[in-house]
Amino acid sequence: ARHGGYTQLAEPSKQVRKIPRSIHDISNGDHILGFGAELAEDHPGYHDEEYKKRRSYIGDLAKLHKIGEPIPCLEYTDEEIKIWGDILEKLTQLYPTHACKRYLDTFQLFNFVPDRLPQLQELSEVLMMRTGWQIRPVAGLLHPTDFLNALAFRTFHSTQYIRHGSNPMYTPEPDVCHEILGHIPLLADPEFANVAQVIGMASLGASKEEIWHLTKLYWYTVEFGTVKERDGVKAFGAGLLSSFGELEHMLSGEDGYMPIFEDLDPFKKLPKMNYKDGFQKKYFLCESFSDVASKLTAYARSLQRF
Ligand code: NLE
Ligand code: FE2
């Protein structure tokens, strides 16, 4: 969960980090930048003590997790399951017209149902079998260096708490619905999974500026990427696929302005990421998954990391 929202995203620190040689060298708890239980005043859950308690409980469990151990099973409350169920039902109406073909295919593998919120452990097992990826629980927003580095080791850091029920259609921060509906299906697609790993490999030993650019590349592909298909523009970015507000907005522009679509060029300066103020103003378009893969690989190779 590499995101912003409700809190100022700190610039990557100047401190020189040791390059991790395996996932064991990356901590899921030392560099959390935000989104723990300390919610900012403008967060919809700020006045909800129960909600904050629940998030710190779930966050503390994540910090205790050790690589190789099963991810703790969370018993979700009826209220939490209802949020998940509502989101799933609404999104599955939009997917046939708004989601890319490869997402529709991998989504089928998981048999998501509205009355059961899936456990990260079982999803991690499916990914491991399909593409060799694993999920690691994380308490909140992880430092971009740690988050991106972990992708090199086919590890995806995932939150386990759910968004506040007052605005299910959109949250600027990651939550378990965003991870499960946005990220996990496509990580079961071998080509997509490789794209994510390429960004991770390029980030190993990267300078502060390179990390920032890679964060943007990640943001405009894995989080908000779009692809041209025969019947129009479709979403493959997780931030689109987990938000029925933004997914609808992407194609309709009904809320007042039409988003801009631009072809992705990873060597060009990318626009500032929209963390706090709602939907993205610009989406980047790719021709196909192999187009994304070759563009990102070309950029990653230019850094001469591998
Ligand atoms: N806006 C997304 C959602 O509501 O699911 C989460 C985005 C995280 C970048
Ligand atoms: Fe995400």
Side-chain angles (χ1 to χ4, degrees):
R2 161 74 284 289
H3 317 271
Y6 297 137
T7 182
Q8 195 57 44
L9 183 73
E11 284 284 322
S13 83
K14 292 203 179 66
Q15 198 187 322
V16 180
R17 298 262 201 96
K18 220 179 113 208
I19 299 172
R21 290 176 177 274
S22 84
I23 189 64
H24 297 275
D25 293 338
I26 301 171
S27 159
N28 75 340
D30 291 349
H31 308 110
I32 303 281
L33 300 179
F35 298 131
E38 314 85 40
L39 304 179
E41 268 175 65
D42 55 348
H43 190 284
Y46 182 69
H47 295 291
D48 188 340
E49 286 309 317
E50 278 302 305
Y51 182 73
K52 287 200 266 192
K53 255 187 17 216
R54 179 76 172 147
R55 276 184 61 152
S56 59
Y57 167 75
I58 297 175
D60 289 346
L61 273 181
K63 286 181 199 149
L64 292 173
H65 178 259
K66 301 264 175 301
I67 286 287
E69 286 174 2
I71 303 168
C73 190
L74 261 192
E75 211 172 297
Y76 289 103
T77 65
D78 289 348
E79 203 186 328
E80 290 171 327
I81 295 169
K82 171 126 190 357
I83 298 172
W84 154 263
D86 288 350
I87 292 175
L88 179 67
E89 283 191 327
K90 187 83 192 188
L91 282 171
T92 41
Q93 289 170 20
L94 287 180
Y95 288 154
T97 44
H98 288 63
C100 71
K101 171 86 176 55
R102 300 284 271 273
Y103 179 84
L104 296 176
D105 292 345
T106 48
F107 182 80
Q108 296 301 324
L109 297 171
F110 294 88
N111 297 313
F112 296 131
V113 288
D115 56 5
R116 186 175 168 275
L117 214 170
Q119 295 294 334
L120 293 184
Q121 176 59 27
E122 72 203 31
L123 302 174
S124 189
E125 284 166 18
V126 175
L127 293 184
M128 185 53 80
M129 268 177 337
R130 292 254 155 198
T131 53
W133 277 70
Q134 65 181 339
I135 297 170
R136 186 190 206 188
V138 68
L141 176 67
L142 198 57
H143 190 290
T145 303
D146 294 327
F147 182 82
L148 295 175
N149 282 181
L151 301 176
F153 307 109
R154 292 175 102 80
T155 302
F156 191 81
H157 283 89
S158 166
T159 55
Q160 209 171 4
Y161 60 80
I162 198 159
R163 65 191 65 189
H164 195 260
S166 56
N167 189 12
M169 52 108 65
Y170 175 86
T171 162
E173 60 178 341
D175 77 326
V176 75
C177 295
H178 167 68
E179 318 287 12
I180 295 180
L181 295 169
H183 288 292
I184 288 170
L186 279 174
L187 286 172
D189 178 289
E191 194 168 21
F192 181 86
N194 288 344
V195 167
Q197 188 180 22
V198 162
I199 301 178
M201 285 162 65
S203 80
L204 294 174
S207 69
K208 188 179 140 187
E209 289 69 29
E210 287 166 345
I211 289 287
W212 205 235
H213 188 67
L214 289 165
T215 299
K216 287 184 171 179
L217 278 178
Y218 177 86
W219 183 261
Y220 288 115
T221 56
V222 178
E223 291 295 352
F224 291 100
T226 62
V227 57
K228 290 178 203 162
E229 289 189 354
R230 232 174 302 160
D231 54 339
V233 174
K234 306 284 165 161
F236 71 86
L240 287 163
L241 292 165
S242 67
S243 164
F244 52 85
E246 185 150 2
L247 196 52
E248 225 163 15
H249 156 84
M250 171 194 110
L251 288 188
S252 75
E254 261 163 19
D255 44 352
Y257 65 94
M258 197 55 200
I260 301 165
F261 290 91
E262 195 179 302
D263 289 338
L264 179 72
D265 178 353
F267 290 91
K268 267 208 191 122
K269 188 171 163 48
L270 293 163
K272 200 171 152 270
M273 298 172 279
N274 250 9
Y275 283 114
K276 276 186 99 161
D277 33 353
F279 304 153
Q280 304 301 307
K281 297 190 174 55
K282 192 183 262 185
Y283 299 104
F284 285 87
L285 258 175
C286 300
E287 297 292 332
S288 61
F289 272 22
S290 57
D291 173 45
V292 195
S294 58
K295 280 179 172 160
L296 291 182
T297 305
Y299 174 75
R301 285 200 192 287
S302 76
L303 301 178
Q304 307 204 331
R305 212 85 72 215
F306 56 91

